Amino acid sequence: MQRSLYIDPGKCTGCLQCEMACSFENEGVFNPAKSRIKVFTFHDEGRFVPYTCTQCDEAWCMAACPVDAITMNRDTGAMEVSDATCVGCKVCTIACPFGTVNYNQDSGKVIKCDLCGGDPACAKACPTEAITYVDADATGLDKMRAWAAKTDNAAAAASA
Amino acid sequence: MSWAKKVLRVNLTEGRISDEPLNMEWAADYIGQRGLGTRYLVEETDPKCEPLGPDNKLIFATGPLTGTPVSTGGRYSVITKSPLTGAVACSNSGGFIGAELKSAGWDMIIVEGKAKSPVMLRIVNDQAELVPADDLWGKSVWEADKLIHEKYQDPQIRIAAVGRSAEAGCLYSAIINDLHRAAGRSGVGAVMASKNLKAVAVRGSRGVGNIKDPARFMQAVAEHKKVLADNAVTGQGLPALGTQVLMNVINEIGALPTNNMREVQFADANKISGEAMKEPRESDGKPNLTTNAACFGCTIACGRISTIDRTHFTIENKPQYWGNSGGLEYEAAWAMGADTGVGDLDAVTYANFVCNEDGMDPISFGATVAAAMELFEMGAITTKETGGMELKFGSAEALAWCADQVATGEGFGKDLGLGSKRLCEKYGHPELSMTVKGQEFPAYDPRGIQGMGLTYATSNRGACHLRSYTVASEVLGIPEKTDPLVTDGKAGLVKAFQDATAAVDSMGICVFTTFAWTLENMAPQLDAACDGDWSVERLAEAGERIWNLERDYNMKAGLTGADDNLPPRLLKEAAKTGPAKGKVNGLDEMLPEYYSLRGWTKDGQLTAKVREKFALPA
């Protein structure tokens, strides 16, 4: 069974534990600037939104790469960058409609979320379950459950 | 390690910037942040220096855990000599700039001298420069923040700045970072403005690494995040209601100072409480509270993000206040609400926004307004001084007007910017100032919580709850319940809290963790991250050393044991209502025992034995 990162911005507090976990897993330092997941703060609206690669099946980044450095991991479904093959041309960063592939000045390669090989550090570090790693076929389950709970609750209240 | 081991030194007089290694011998004794910053201040400045003169220094200090995922590991402190108290100032803030500074590769910034004209310090990793800031001077913190982000076209810059209140010399002006987090107390903003330093803008992309034992560290971090999550206060109360969880609780036990501390209970407490912030309002059906928010790395997330009712008189014609911003925390809601008698949640939130926008400490601001209201009531201040405004207890209009006046330093705002002590002296009633060492009280009446009387009297930065929060024990039963109405045992309790807190404030983490953590929980995390062996005993000893170092600085600055005192109101006027009815604070029953436990003389002076034990500098 493949799993996907599922993000619920309503639960995010903007603490950046995910960014620290990601950069530590991938770079060995606690460094939000080098995180593959980013939390955006919309100050006037009072909202925090974590955002990262959604691992497209027909991935623009993979199609655009001229040296085939981006391949799909069949176990996790993640599009992974091979550092040995990547030439740092950045074409994938242009191709990605979501901006989730980025260049790393220090290594001369691109970086993107690879689901940590199937055990994403961001989801483990998140204190509020704003980021979870769930069945890829049922990322909507929590939302469905929440709406299901509201459905016909007028009748439930009347009979209570 | 986990220290960056590097200090940025900025001499504003000469426009010179240099770097130097962090003194690791001192770090072994004073940890970082509060302790280590104070050690540098002691070494490099004359305790008798003029706080707002070029000889005072302004130190921004992170701790060894700042910038790491230890929960709440984003703190920094500003250490300097306070213009409000004449004692050491050490104001702690969260937000994100502390971690950003560490990620840029610096433990500490030491600012010296005074610039000829306004400047901003810009730091991008190991590069630092002074940039002319004439265009930012005269702007609020919020305006300056926007201009800096626009100028450098980089949304990820973290900024700390002073507002117009600091420029106008307000003695309790704060340094605001990340728009609404504050190094709030003791007038550190006034010191920054006195040096013509408008802002510090930081961008760090190097990260924090060099953890001593990464596997053990990550395990300890995860384990102790869980301890916070499983605790009722840090896992439920604070995320849901913020520190405002306390408003109704403290009112019920008769320890909510009201109307300049004349009363100990506020009839409208429920209207400005954490629960009230969640009630939908009539105009738009939305509550005051939009969401809770975290500082860097914090898994508690007690921060409040709020809006003001757009139809409220304070902002109906001011669209700049229509969005969300940092909302009310308990101390602010108390000072600007209960202590002024104002039970209007929107007016108090407005005053809070103004305090954030122009950098005022809301505790000192609210308490000073409360003193002004009492002076007005007795006729010592009249509409002649205020230009027509009636400063009546309970007046939301007066509160909002006072905030605007102090923010810009206009008119009567100049007088209010002096703080309660100087205001009450100026108008002939020094006894009405609810201060210790010139700093205004926070939100716990020491008649209803006896230990807090000793806490306030002996705090090294003047009246302050965060130096030894015995409320935890006396009210909440953490780590064990003590009776808030008795003085027995409080001297030892205060000393224990003071020493442990000094250690906590020196690591880079938030004191709010101590609702769930003790040094037992912190030592394994620090030890896995940092050079050296960090045991509970060593942390407790470092905390006591730091406390004595601060005390020593204050004594050399000219303070004496006589300054460990409370205003006559709290010692002579008994509480009129609630469980503490008939009580005054029993400071004289606690203070001699406290001095004795500290190993000080009967006059509160350090002894040679104590100096030797902690190897304090001469």
Side-chain angles (χ1 to χ4, degrees):
Chain A
M1 180 185 83
Q2 274 186 12
R3 292 203 285 169
S4 291
L5 284 175
Y6 175 64
I7 291 169
D8 182 350
K11 291 179 179 169
C12 179
T13 63
C15 74
L16 309 190
Q17 281 278 342
C18 56
E19 297 192 7
M20 277 189 280
C22 177
S23 55
F24 185 72
E25 177 76 22
N26 291 290
E27 310 283 337
V29 288
F30 304 110
N31 188 0
K34 293 280 189 284
S35 174
R36 285 118 170 101
I37 187 166
K38 301 294 287 181
V39 178
F40 293 90
T41 299
F42 298 92
H43 181 264
D44 285 359
E45 301 164 37
R47 288 200 301 137
F48 306 99
V49 184
Y51 201 79
T52 189
C53 175
T54 55
Q55 318 295 349
C56 315
D57 263 14
E58 295 180 40
W60 282 268
C61 60
M62 185 162 65
C65 180
V67 294
D68 293 333
I70 301 179
T71 54
M72 179 191 269
N73 179 323
R74 293 282 158 195
D75 294 330
T76 62
M79 304 301 146
E80 298 178 350
V81 181
S82 162
D83 273 0
T85 314
C86 174
V87 296
C89 75
K90 313 178 196 67
V91 171
C92 56
T93 68
I94 301 166
C96 174
F98 308 105
T100 56
V101 191
N102 286 282
Y103 181 62
N104 180 354
Q105 300 180 42
D106 296 339
S107 64
K109 313 287 180 187
V110 296
I111 56 175
K112 67 178 289 299
C113 171
D114 61 1
L115 298 175
C116 297
D119 188 17
C122 56
K124 277 190 292 187
C126 179
T128 61
E129 298 186 329
I131 307 167
T132 49
Y133 192 50
V134 301
D135 181 349
D137 291 344
T139 50
L141 211 60
D142 277 353
K143 268 188 206 160
M144 286 168 72
R145 185 179 295 112
W147 283 106
K150 290 187 182 182
T151 303
D152 210 21
N153 60 1
S159 65
Chain B
M1 50 194 255
S2 210
W3 292 274
K5 297 190 177 176
K6 221 164 75 166
V7 176
L8 181 68
R9 190 174 289 278
V10 180
N11 187 305
L12 294 172
T13 306
E14 297 170 19
R16 184 164 39 84
I17 291 178
S18 56
D19 62 88
E20 63 195 51
L22 186 72
N23 188 321
M24 292 308 294
E25 274 179 40
W26 290 352
D29 281 345
Y30 295 92
I31 311 173
Q33 202 184 348
R34 174 176 164 183
L36 192 53
T38 306
R39 183 67 188 83
Y40 272 87
L41 187 77
V42 165
E43 186 75 11
E44 299 190 7
T45 62
D46 177 355
K48 289 199 159 35
C49 74
E50 165 53 43
L52 299 178
D55 293 339
N56 192 9
K57 296 193 184 185
L58 183 72
I59 299 175
F60 295 81
T62 67
L65 298 179
T66 307
T68 76
V70 170
S71 187
T72 76
R75 311 295 300 190
Y76 78 100
S77 289
V78 178
I79 298 106
T80 188
K81 182 175 178 180
S82 164
L84 187 68
T85 65
V88 65
C90 175
S91 297
N92 185 312
S93 182
F96 295 85
I97 196 172
E100 196 77 17
L101 181 65
K102 192 78 171 289
S103 190
W106 305 98
D107 293 300
M108 207 180 273
I109 308 169
I110 301 177
V111 181
E112 312 171 339
K114 177 182 178 174
K116 287 183 192 69
S117 58
V119 292
M120 171 179 76
L121 174 63
R122 183 174 182 235
I123 299 169
V124 181
N125 292 329
D126 51 0
Q127 301 295 312
E129 61 174 340
L130 290 167
V131 183
D134 303 279
D135 55 331
L136 302 177
W137 204 258
K139 299 281 194 289
S140 76
V141 172
W142 292 1
E143 291 165 340
D145 189 283
K146 189 161 178 267
L147 288 168
I148 295 165
H149 279 116
E150 281 172 4
K151 178 174 179 175
Y152 294 105
Q153 291 291 303
D154 182 353
Q156 300 188 84
I157 295 173
R158 305 291 189 183
I159 296 163
V162 292
R164 292 172 293 181
S165 73
E167 293 176 14
C170 170
L171 292 176
Y172 47 82
S173 50
I175 297 171
I176 303 288
N177 59 273
D178 303 290
L179 296 173
H180 50 74
R181 307 311 309 182
R185 302 224 68 190
S186 312
V188 295
V191 175
M192 184 158 154
S194 78
K195 299 189 172 306
N196 269 329
L197 180 63
K198 177 70 180 178
V200 178
V202 187
R203 183 81 166 86
S205 59
R206 295 159 55 102
V208 176
N210 299 314
I211 297 296
K212 185 172 78 182
D213 185 340
R216 180 156 63 92
F217 178 68
M218 293 306 275
Q219 193 183 341
V221 167
E223 191 181 312
H224 293 289
K225 276 163 68 176
K226 190 166 183 315
V227 173
L228 294 176
D230 291 345
N231 179 278
V233 177
T234 52
Q236 293 162 38
L238 285 174
L241 295 169
T243 51
Q244 276 272 65
V245 69
L246 288 165
M247 182 65 73
N248 290 325
V249 175
I250 301 297
N251 193 43
E252 274 165 33
I253 65 159
L256 189 71
T258 299
N259 291 2
N260 201 34
M261 305 189 90
R262 280 197 309 219
E263 318 284 335
V264 295
Q265 290 181 307
F266 180 43
D268 286 342
N270 64 325
K271 293 184 184 165
I272 56 167
S273 66
E275 290 82 355
M277 289 169 71
K278 296 187 127 176
E279 288 291 320
R281 54 195 169 217
E282 276 179 27
S283 65
D284 59 3
K286 290 180 182 164
N288 173 285
L289 179 73
T290 302
T291 185
N292 66 326
C295 294
F296 183 93
C298 174
T299 60
I300 303 171
C302 74
R304 304 290 93 183
I305 302 294
S306 286
T307 57
I308 303 166
D309 187 338
R310 279 189 200 184
T311 63
H312 193 261
F313 78 89
T314 48
I315 66 157
E316 56 184 346
N317 298 315
K318 295 181 181 174
Q320 68 268 36
Y321 297 109
W322 288 0
N324 280 275
S325 197
L328 288 170
E329 302 187 16
Y330 171 60
E331 305 299 330
W334 161 75
M336 301 186 291
D339 205 32
T340 64
V342 175
D344 178 333
L345 182 63
D346 287 299
V348 179
T349 306
Y350 172 74
N352 197 59
F353 276 22
V354 172
C355 283
N356 287 335
E357 178 173 16
D358 268 302
M360 293 111 74
D361 167 10
I363 301 179
S364 286
F365 164 72
T368 302
V369 172
M373 286 173 164
E374 187 162 1
L375 290 165
F376 186 87
E377 189 176 86
M378 71 197 318
I381 291 174
T382 66
T383 49
K384 203 175 114 218
E385 283 83 22
T386 65
M389 177 56 71
E390 306 231 345
L391 293 184
K392 289 187 174 163
F393 280 118
S395 167
E397 289 77 11
L399 174 71
W401 178 83
C402 287
D404 290 340
Q405 294 276 299
V406 179
T408 54
E410 286 165 22
F412 190 63
K414 272 271 183 223
D415 276 1
L416 288 171
L418 294 169
S420 164
K421 175 171 177 261
R422 291 167 178 83
L423 181 83
C424 291
E425 282 169 358
K426 179 171 177 176
Y427 289 97
H429 290 277
E431 76 284 1
L432 293 184
S433 172
M434 297 300 120
T435 52
V436 174
K437 301 181 175 74
Q439 178 157 286
E440 292 75 10
F441 283 92
Y444 311 89
D445 198 294
R447 289 166 291 201
I449 310 175
Q450 291 288 321
M452 291 307 283
L454 184 61
T455 286
Y456 297 151
T458 60
S459 157
N460 284 329
R461 66 170 184 175
C464 169
H465 56 299
L466 293 170
R467 287 300 176 267
S468 48
Y469 193 71
T470 59
V471 176
S473 167
E474 294 178 273
V475 180
L476 304 171
I478 301 168
E480 57 193 30
K481 186 78 172 76
T482 51
D483 183 347
L485 298 178
V486 306
T487 54
D488 288 354
K490 297 297 164 64
L493 191 70
V494 166
K495 178 182 178 293
F497 269 82
Q498 286 175 339
D499 293 346
T501 305
V504 174
D505 288 345
S506 301
M507 286 184 234
I509 60 176
C510 178
V511 73
F512 288 1
T513 57
T514 59
F515 289 114
W517 290 356
T518 65
L519 295 180
E520 301 269 355
N521 302 87
M522 299 167 195
Q525 300 185 83
L526 190 71
D527 185 67
C530 296
D531 290 347
D533 297 315
W534 291 93
S535 63
V536 172
E537 295 70 28
R538 184 173 169 192
L539 285 175
E541 190 193 1
E544 190 169 1
R545 177 181 295 114
I546 292 161
W547 190 268
N548 278 287
L549 182 75
E550 291 173 340
R551 175 80 177 186
D552 195 35
Y553 178 93
N554 288 350
M555 294 294 120
K556 287 172 177 164
L559 278 73
T560 69
D563 296 300
D564 299 335
N565 210 342
L566 295 172
R569 174 163 286 171
L570 303 174
L571 299 172
K572 291 176 185 160
E573 295 177 25
K576 295 170 196 156
T577 61
K581 187 176 176 181
K583 285 256 170 201
V584 296
N585 185 264
L587 179 64
D588 58 351
E589 296 159 18
M590 301 182 280
L591 194 61
E593 186 189 353
Y594 171 82
Y595 283 170
S596 162
L597 288 170
R598 282 262 170 237
W600 298 345
T601 67
K602 288 194 172 80
D603 301 331
Q605 296 288 336
L606 270 68
T607 58
K609 202 173 156 190
V610 167
R611 309 186 67 86
E612 193 183 336
K613 180 179 175 191
F614 296 109
L616 297 182

